[in-house]
């Protein structure tokens, strides 16, 4: 039996493929390589280049590789892009999953693990935010993921499939051995920008908003190390295999760091005092987003290894330095920064 990982060449997908591979699982990947890298897959893991919504492709891969579980990472993840082009998001996220599930149901797939997001909550009424909080996404990205959650729930109930939905908080860091990491050109995430500044690819980093009613005035996020997140997927697989019921889980540590604290961590671990400038609030930003992590802790056999902002920053930095050394750094961004 194998696990089919869609989007397995992407950032979270490739870390999860590696975690599964290292746990001696049989893995097969479908990825259209629109943002992923085939070189980020361990040697010997079969890669089918194509869309997760291509039902013929999925059907063939399930049959050929004796797939009984699907982990579905493939999708689009840029919030501002989703505002400009919502139909792209409803196609790449919602419709693709509908097709994937159609193929899965026809082949009797028993387990499905889905990458969702804290963006389904919108601006939470309560922080830390529990899974039962009201879901009111503020972007087509969040809506496209929430719609997918609903579809998955209905399909699983109708066809006897079991699922785990993982709602990711702020994913950051890289493989501790710097074999893989976030390599997407033009990524806008805080830690990525901070390590680009620390490695001299950017002149400075802007802090978007220092007038929030938080301790230091900047926003607060729950950063989860990508390798811990990968292990959460592996734990979700074990949970379902041992008869666990369908469940939706926040995936964060349940602890927040401010934007300023995060930048300070990157300064400390890099030893480079790059420039930080205070900029206006970024439109659409939520002030504080921290997971209530009690359900994931109680449900999965998951012990995070890297629950520390300096460790996350150090791994992100080591990976960025490797990218630079290998000449695949973010040249475009450096020019325009
Ligand atoms: N942020 C910032 N400067 C940057 C990038 C991000 O101040 O160059 C802030 C952003 O305004 C937000 C936090 O960092 O408050 C996390 O942003 P990110 O885009 O990493 O993730 P989000 O929480 O928006 O999904």
């Amino acid at each position: 039996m194998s696990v089919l990982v869609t989007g397995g060449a992407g950032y979270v997908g490739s870390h999860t493929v590696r975690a599964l591979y290292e746990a001696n699982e049989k893995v097969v990947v479908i990825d259209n390589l629109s943002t992923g890298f085939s070189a980020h897959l361990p040697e010997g893991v079969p890669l089918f280049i194509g869309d997760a919504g291509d039902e013929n492709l999925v059907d063939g891969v399930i049959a050929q590789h004796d797939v009984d579980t699907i982990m579905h990472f493939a999708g689009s993840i840029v919030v501002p892009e989703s505002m400009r082009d919502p139909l792209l998001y409803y196609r790449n996220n919602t419709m693709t999953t509908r097709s994937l599930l159609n193929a899965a149901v026809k082949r009797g797939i028993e387990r499905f693990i889905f990458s969702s997001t804290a963006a389904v909550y919108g601006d939470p009424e309560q922080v830390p935010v529990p899974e039962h909080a009201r879901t009111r996404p503020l972007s087509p990205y969040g809506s496209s993921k929430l719609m997918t959650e609903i579809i998955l729930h209905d399909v699983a109930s109708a066809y006897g499939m079991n699922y785990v939905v993982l709602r990711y908080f702020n994913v950051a860091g890289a493989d501790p051995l710097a074999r893989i990491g976030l390599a997407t050109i033009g990524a806008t995430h805080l830690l990525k920008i901070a390590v680009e500044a620390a490695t001299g690819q950017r002149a400075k980093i802007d802090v978007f908003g220092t007038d929030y009613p938080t301790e230091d005035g900047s926003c607060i996020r729950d950063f989860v190390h990508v390798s811990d997140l990968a292990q959460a997927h592996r734990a979700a697989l074990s949970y379902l295999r041992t008869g666990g019921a369908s469940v939706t889980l926040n995936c964060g540590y349940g602890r927040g760091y401010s934007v300023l604290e995060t930048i300070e961590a990157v300064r400390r671990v890099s030893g480079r005092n790059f420039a930080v400038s205070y900029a206006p609030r970024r439109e659409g930003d939520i002030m504080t987003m921290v997971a209530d992590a009690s359900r994931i802790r109680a449900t999965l056999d998951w012990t995070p290894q890297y629950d520390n902002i300096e460790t996350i920053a150090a791994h992100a930095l080591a990976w960025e330095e490797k990218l630079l050394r290998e000449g695949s750094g973010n040249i475009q961004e450096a020019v325009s920064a």
Side-chain angles (χ1 to χ4, degrees), residues 77 79-80 117 119 141 169-171 187-194 202 204-209 212 218-223 257-260 262-263 277 279-289:
I77 59 158
V79 173
T117 168
Y141 167 65
F169 281 65
N170 287 63
V171 189
T188 57
H189 294 126
L190 175 64
L191 263 150
K192 180 76 176 172
I193 305 275
R202 286 175 181 271
K204 65 173 170 85
I205 180 164
D206 288 323
V207 179
F208 299 135
Y212 288 96
S218 64
C219 291
I220 293 172
R221 293 291 182 274
D222 186 343
F223 295 96
Y257 289 98
S258 75
V259 171
L260 287 168
T262 306
I263 293 172
S277 69
R281 292 182 180 194
R282 188 174 70 179
E283 205 191 333
D285 267 348
I286 284 153
M287 180 173 73
T288 303
M289 189 52 105

Side-chain angles (χ1 to χ4, degrees), residues 257 264-265 268-269 308-315:
Y257 289 98
E264 267 318 303
R268 270 198 308 279
V269 300
N308 179 297
I309 195 68
E310 292 207 350
T311 307
I312 294 174
H315 292 166

